[in-house]
Amino acid sequence: EDDEEMEVHLVTTLRVDASGGHISRQSPLGRAIFGRAVGDTVTVRVSDEVSYPVTIRAIRPGTDDESLPISGY
């Protein structure tokens, strides 16, 4: 069992920075945790062969952080 903890922020696809913990709601982790509650354990499906469990330990409301750069395409 892996007890690693990480903090993530759900952001729009224009402000994604996975290495900085800013992930899109459309990402595998974002889809798994969006709309869930503290204490829920969800399965993050990366592919048909790869998945892992995540337990939500806290949820804090965010604010619009205009300092986050907008990703280029």
Side-chain angles (χ1 to χ4, degrees):
E1 184 172 312
D2 185 358
D3 288 333
E4 179 181 347
E5 288 190 22
M6 64 184 280
E7 182 174 316
V8 296
H9 304 265
L10 291 180
V11 297
T12 67
T13 55
L14 294 176
R15 299 203 187 269
V16 168
D17 174 14
S19 64
H22 297 93
I23 62 167
S24 165
R25 187 177 136 196
Q26 289 78 25
S27 69
L29 178 57
R31 285 193 310 265
I33 65 175
F34 186 77
R36 302 306 294 257
V38 172
D40 286 352
T41 297
V42 298
T43 300
V44 179
R45 299 200 185 285
V46 179
S47 69
D48 288 340
E49 297 81 28
V50 178
S51 64
Y52 57 93
V54 170
T55 300
I56 301 170
R57 297 199 173 185
I59 297 174
R60 292 191 304 270
T63 59
D64 188 14
D65 186 351
E66 294 181 14
S67 70
L68 294 173
I70 294 178
S71 301
Y73 291 97

